[in-house]
Amino acid sequence: MRDELAGQLSQLRDLTGRSLRELARDINASSSSLSRYFAGQAVPPWPTVVALCKAAGRDPRPLREVWERAKDAPQTGAVAAQPVRNDLPHDVTAFTGRSAELSTLMDAARSTSVVAIDGMGGVGKSALAVHAAHLLTADFPDGQLYLDLHGFTPGRERIEPTEALRVLLTALGLAAGRVPDGLAERAALWRSELATRRAIVLLDNAAGAEHVRDLLPGAGRTFVMITSRRRMVELDGVLPISLDVLPGEDAARLFVESAGGTRPGDVEEVLRRCGNLPLAIRVAAARLRHRPAWTLDTLVERLRDGDLAVSDVFEMSLRQLDPAQRRMFQLLGLLPGEDIDAYGAAALAGIPLANARSLLEDLVDVHLVQEPAAGRYRMHDLLRQVARADDPTADPVPAITRLGDFYLSGMLAVKQQIQILIPIPVTVSQPPSALPDLSDHDTAVSWMDTEWVNLTATFALAVQLRLDALAVGLGQLATMAHARRGGSAQLREALEASLPAAERLGDRHVLGVHRYLTGALYLRMGRLAEATPELEAARALMAAEGERVGEAMALFQLGEVQEYLGDPAAAVELLEQAIAVLPPGEPAVRARLRSTLSQALMRLGNYAAARDVAAEVLEAVRVADRQTARMCLDVLGRAALGLGDLEGALDFAEQSVAVSQATRHAIFEANSLTDVAVALLHLGRADEAAARQLEAVQILERAGEPGRLMRAYLPYAEACLATGRRETAARHFREALEIASGHGLDHMAAEARDGLSRAS
């Protein structure tokens, strides 16, 4: 409700054409309050809404109902406590049988810490564990965590213990930047965190004992359930529960409930053909449910040919498919990611969108494909294995290439919306038949977030299959998502993995962009010694190819390196070179470079000159390029602080926060929140400053961005010191030094030590 009101209030502000500061003065409200209203963080009093409408020349009455709903909605705060995590999948519909095993699990939850459920694929291990976890949720109030380890998922690498621990620790609420790198250190931290909690942890689809050994708890009241196709005989103190196929009565009840009622005929023969395996029973029952004219004898006839094996059930289902349905089923078995939508399926198969939708619905009807959320489709591991075995000689390259080109096309559309200026020379060999509408910024970013796991899985498979153009394109475009969501370490791995592919392509422009993106990443991470040679190499490659925009962008990043090294004069020189290199007709890039030049001037102490350049650029780009506008607002705020205009500094910083919130760029929002906190400190509003700084730190910790976190700690610590809060300053300098020392950020460590000595 607040988001709807905030959107309409922001439209009113745009209609006024006034700055936040001017608007606050005209309607007798504080600029910080207005910033919260426009960001949806608070609901304004009704007189303030009326005053905004009056300033915009609009009737306030249509807004009354929206305001009432927002006012009455439950309140949340930007720094509210994290909710208890519940990652459990949806409970199985009409859970049937397993009463003895379920009773054992429920008793074990009160007397032991780890249970391992083993059995063949499709026997119902996960269904039992998930059902038990739902029943036990109230007894474990500190969280219900679920992680599929993919120990037996066809076509997918299993999740190794080190990565599993990162996911689990993050799920507990630990900031990504605080999670150590090593397996032993992560395992120790995991045990320490669980020691004080009463939580359920479900580790699904483990490959074996060694796969989960480091994931087990130590002391405490946490209850862990493991499922695997292998028995965990090597694990001491773990209660084993082995599942066999269902007893006849339970199997019959499951079949009747899944089929939607009884039918004439021999149910025992159907169950015999299904081997009493729950997954096979559900598939056969779904077949019957969607054939009202069939009797059980009809179903048995379909099952009678061949050996009495579980695979007959799936083969029977496959025989009922027409060629197009069967081909789609086979192709879905090749998916590298978790799920897919109709657009992706159309690209995978190289068919029109409407055909793909129809085929997916057909496969859902016969339980060969699941639809866990509207428009998203996935395949059970056992069925994925069947799909791959159905055409074992199939070459995956054409289908994966088509799917990769779909993701490339989508990411290029996203790039247009989020205004990435470096030209990325992506090759799309087979444009997809259809793309979702990504012409709106929020829709484009949401699509990228939804498809992120699938994008990264497709990238990894492209690297493995040596689909070089696809691997390079996806690796380079992935920088857009990582810049917004954090995860620099993962991006570095992706760029390193795709570097050989970029070199094999033999295109110096492609390689130049790859080196540029790698250098820009190292710069963001604070690893300046590694950033410089990559950016120098990128500059040389771009210059050799006559790619002036790329050359200018490399110079721009080298200028930023000099800024961070404490040589703003050298930064100004490099930025002036970049502007001189830039060809005519590139207003967006020129504006971005000039905004960075204003930042360098500000660091030189030329606050008036920095202000003038930033104000000129802002006037030109406020609507057309919100990221450059944000950069200008940052400079204007810091320059205002340097010139003694504290209210102006706060106003500009709050405007910058609002831009980042509107563009859903959490990393930049955190940077500007620190500027807000610094301005508030100088205004004597220490409590407000601490709250805003905490917001910034929490964002960057969740993102796992130690370099940016350092850049949030240091200016805030300096502001604390400048305003006489020596103890607080010393504490923040120590926190910064701890992070810098732990991540090899030497130049920042020196700055933190210097600050600590001045604060002590």
Side-chain angles (χ1 to χ4, degrees), residues 37 140 211 224 234 387 605 618 626 731:
Y37 302 154
F140 293 87
H211 198 184
V224 175
E234 301 93 339
L618 179 61
R626 289 187 287 183
R731 174 163 52 86

Side-chain angles (χ1 to χ4, degrees), residues 146-279:
Y146 172 87
L147 181 60
D148 188 345
L149 296 170
H150 293 290
F152 295 93
T153 302
R156 171 156 184 171
E157 294 293 326
R158 73 183 198 179
I159 297 179
E160 296 299 335
T162 303
E163 174 62 10
L165 284 166
R166 183 192 67 78
V167 174
L168 290 167
L169 286 166
T170 303
L172 283 181
L174 271 72
R178 302 295 187 184
V179 176
D181 291 333
L183 172 60
E185 293 80 4
R186 288 184 180 182
L189 181 58
W190 170 243
R191 292 191 297 271
S192 175
E193 287 294 324
L194 291 184
T196 60
R197 303 174 193 254
R198 188 170 176 84
I200 293 175
V201 180
L202 174 48
L203 303 174
D204 202 10
N205 204 4
E210 291 305 314
H211 198 184
V212 295
R213 190 181 299 279
D214 292 300
L215 312 184
L216 301 184
R221 305 291 298 278
T222 289
F223 181 54
V224 175
M225 288 184 282
I226 306 165
T227 73
S228 178
R229 297 186 191 181
R230 295 178 181 169
R231 293 183 177 180
M232 302 286 178
V233 294
E234 301 93 339
L235 295 180
D236 293 332
V238 173
L239 176 67
I241 298 178
S242 295
L243 296 188
D244 200 350
V245 296
L246 286 171
E249 185 177 340
D250 289 341
R253 186 163 66 252
L254 174 62
F255 179 81
V256 170
E257 291 181 2
S258 300
T262 59
R263 300 277 183 96
D266 188 356
V267 69
E268 291 186 3
E269 179 63 15
V270 173
L271 298 176
R272 192 166 70 88
R273 293 285 175 176
C274 293
N276 281 20
L277 187 69
L279 180 60

Side-chain angles (χ1 to χ4, degrees), residues 85-107:
R85 187 72 172 252
N86 187 331
D87 295 333
L88 296 177
H90 183 69
D91 200 0
V92 177
T93 303
F95 183 85
T96 301
R98 306 296 188 200
S99 57
E101 294 90 345
L102 183 60
S103 177
T104 300
L105 268 177
M106 302 296 283
D107 291 339

Side-chain angles (χ1 to χ4, degrees), residues 299-635:
L299 181 60
V300 169
E301 287 178 12
R302 303 299 194 275
L303 295 170
R304 188 162 287 155
D305 296 335
D307 295 332
L308 302 183
V310 170
S311 60
D312 287 345
V313 177
F314 300 120
E315 180 57 35
M316 179 277 299
S317 289
L318 298 184
R319 286 201 301 270
Q320 302 302 314
L321 302 179
D322 64 32
Q325 292 167 339
R326 190 156 187 166
R327 176 173 179 265
M328 176 62 80
F329 176 74
Q330 293 166 348
L331 290 171
L332 291 174
L334 301 176
L335 280 182
E338 297 281 357
D339 63 0
I340 199 167
D341 67 359
Y343 291 94
L348 182 73
I351 59 177
L353 176 63
N355 294 22
R357 281 202 173 109
S358 177
L359 292 173
L360 289 168
E361 290 169 4
D362 291 341
L363 294 173
V364 169
D365 286 345
V366 295
H367 282 220
L368 291 175
V369 169
Q370 300 166 327
E371 189 179 8
R376 305 299 304 186
Y377 303 90
R378 65 184 303 162
M379 185 177 280
H380 187 281
D381 288 354
L382 192 56
L383 288 166
R384 189 182 294 220
Q385 191 170 338
V386 170
R388 287 171 174 248
D390 194 43
D391 188 7
T393 62
D395 180 5
V397 167
I400 298 304
T401 300
R402 291 191 297 265
L403 180 64
D405 281 339
F406 164 71
Y407 288 130
L408 282 179
S409 300
M411 290 294 278
L412 287 172
V414 174
K415 182 176 182 290
Q416 293 298 315
Q417 294 300 318
I418 62 177
Q419 298 162 321
I420 301 296
L421 299 183
I422 182 71
I424 298 180
V426 172
T427 300
V428 178
S429 58
Q430 300 178 64
S433 61
L435 269 179
D437 182 4
L438 303 177
S439 59
D440 168 78
H441 175 275
D442 283 352
T443 303
V445 172
S446 294
W447 179 87
M448 180 169 63
D449 289 343
T450 298
E451 298 291 351
W452 181 243
V453 171
N454 300 319
L455 282 161
T456 54
T458 303
F459 162 77
L461 186 55
V463 170
Q464 178 186 332
L465 296 175
R466 294 178 70 113
L467 302 176
D468 290 344
L470 181 56
V472 172
L474 287 174
Q476 292 182 353
L477 288 169
T479 58
M480 298 188 299
H482 281 291
R484 309 174 71 83
R485 64 194 295 139
S488 295
Q490 290 84 2
L491 177 57
R492 181 182 62 188
E493 291 174 1
L495 290 173
E496 289 175 353
S498 52
L499 177 59
E503 292 171 337
R504 285 194 297 268
L505 289 174
D507 185 322
R508 288 194 295 184
H509 184 199
V510 170
L511 186 57
V513 169
H514 214 83
R515 301 294 293 272
Y516 168 87
L517 293 172
T518 302
L521 170 65
Y522 281 132
L523 173 61
R524 193 176 88 204
M525 297 174 71
R527 305 173 77 96
L528 305 185
E530 294 164 276
T532 300
E534 294 293 334
L535 293 169
E536 290 284 10
R539 176 190 179 187
L541 287 164
M542 298 290 193
E545 289 297 293
E547 295 290 343
R548 300 305 176 203
V549 172
E551 183 183 358
M553 294 294 287
L555 285 165
F556 147 65
Q557 296 282 1
L558 286 165
E560 287 211 19
V561 171
Q562 294 304 314
E563 279 193 53
Y564 290 130
L565 287 173
D567 191 351
V572 169
E573 182 180 347
L574 284 164
L575 289 165
E576 288 175 342
Q577 288 182 45
I579 293 170
V581 163
L582 196 66
E586 294 289 347
V589 181
R590 191 174 301 276
R592 185 71 58 88
L593 294 177
R594 284 182 57 76
S595 69
T596 308
L597 176 61
S598 71
Q599 181 173 303
L601 291 169
M602 188 267 301
R603 289 180 184 271
L604 275 170
N606 296 340
Y607 299 120
R611 177 196 60 199
D612 293 344
V613 173
E616 177 189 344
V617 175
L618 179 61
E619 184 67 25
V621 304
R622 186 184 288 273
V623 176
D625 185 347
R626 289 187 287 183
Q627 290 305 335
T628 299
R630 174 199 54 77
M631 294 171 67
C632 293
L633 289 167
D634 287 344
V635 172

